[in-house]
Amino acid sequence: MRILILGGTGEASALARALAGREDRAVILSLAGRTAAPKPEPVPTRVGGFGGAKGLADYLLTERIDRLIDATHPFAATISANAAHAAEAVGVPLLAIRRPAWHREPGDLWTDVAGMEEAVAALGSEPRRVFLTIGRQEAGAFAAAPQHAYLARTVEPLDGVLPVPDLTALEARGPFDAAAEADLMRATGTEILVSKNSGGAATYGKIAAARSLAIPVIMVRRPEKPDVPSVPDAAGALRWLDAGDHAGPATLREV
């Protein structure tokens, strides 16, 4: 079975590790290329886009892919849409790994917003000390509110995408535990946290820390994703793949 994993997440890495070395599986992991130095993976890896849904469909045919796994980030809406269109076009069974979103708990001071423009507006006009944990790609939206003091944590360097007078850039890769996150927020005088609702355990520490310190959180909701069969984790994807050895496409959709 030839498997293409659209990756860039911990779930994709876990699935790749679980499949590595299996003689009955030929795995290709695809990364978007937004991270300059991704962690090495134990399966063949390609980097870069496909050229939209048609390019991905052509790749599935050319590489004779039998199963497609969308294990991209919850906010990677475009590639997920392309995966659904491409898989349907060429008849390749598709499964999405969609980790559960975080849910508000007692003590959480969340303001839910639909996107970055709403997040910027939710900060208000009065200057505040803001902890941005939304990644490099969308940090530039906050240049529209230069009155705030920003601590922006990203995996890759900001490289000037957030031109504001008061900016502290912190490059780090999770996981982050709650105690360390609380120490960071106290040390930097964080007054408000901005986060995507990415879900998962690796970056939940900031949410728990904000709760413990009664720090409000601007929580950006996930974008809509295609309605395709899905599982919450790599273990579920493994079961789906193993079921595919003995079942046809109709059964495979009943995940």
Side-chain angles (χ1 to χ4, degrees):
M1 182 186 291
R2 293 179 60 77
I3 302 162
L4 175 63
I5 303 172
L6 305 177
T9 60
E11 291 84 358
S13 295
L15 182 58
R17 290 194 300 270
L19 293 171
R22 285 186 57 168
E23 294 183 359
D24 60 339
R25 303 284 188 260
V27 181
I28 302 170
L29 176 64
S30 179
L31 303 177
R34 292 177 178 174
T35 301
K39 295 184 293 184
E41 301 287 359
V43 298
T45 303
R46 68 174 299 280
V47 178
F50 292 94
K54 184 181 185 306
L56 177 53
D58 291 342
Y59 184 91
L60 295 174
L61 290 175
T62 300
E63 296 297 323
R64 296 175 288 110
I65 299 300
D66 299 302
R67 300 288 184 270
L68 177 60
I69 307 287
D70 175 11
T72 57
H73 192 274
F75 281 76
T78 299
I79 185 60
S80 292
N82 289 344
H85 290 308
E88 183 176 9
V90 300
V92 171
L94 165 67
L95 180 76
I97 300 179
R98 294 188 179 156
R99 73 177 75 130
W102 297 320
H103 296 285
R104 191 190 307 260
E105 295 189 5
D108 284 328
L109 305 174
W110 290 9
T111 298
D112 290 300
V113 297
M116 293 304 156
E117 289 187 7
E118 284 190 24
V120 172
L123 291 176
S125 58
E126 292 299 316
R128 309 172 83 175
R129 302 197 66 82
V130 182
F131 185 13
L132 289 182
T133 62
I134 55 168
R136 179 183 182 277
Q137 297 294 320
E138 293 169 304
F142 292 83
Q147 70 273 25
H148 304 298
Y150 292 98
L151 168 66
R153 183 172 64 198
T154 57
V155 174
E156 297 292 309
L158 282 171
D159 288 338
V161 300
L162 183 53
V164 292
D166 194 340
L167 171 65
T168 300
L170 176 62
E171 293 170 33
R173 188 193 300 268
F176 305 104
D177 68 69
E181 294 286 69
D183 288 344
L184 176 62
M185 292 179 191
R186 280 191 291 261
T188 56
T190 295
E191 295 176 291
I192 191 165
L193 169 69
V194 183
S195 173
K196 295 176 176 179
N197 194 334
S198 299
T203 60
Y204 187 71
K206 63 187 176 184
I207 308 302
R211 182 189 309 126
S212 70
L213 299 174
I215 290 174
V217 178
I218 297 174
M219 186 66 75
V220 182
R221 294 193 295 272
R222 296 180 175 191
E224 292 293 324
K225 292 286 193 90
D227 182 15
V228 302
S230 64
V231 293
D233 52 29
L238 282 172
R239 290 191 294 271
W240 182 80
L241 290 169
D242 289 340
D245 289 328
H246 311 289
T251 302
L252 288 172
R253 291 193 63 83
E254 297 171 5
V255 176

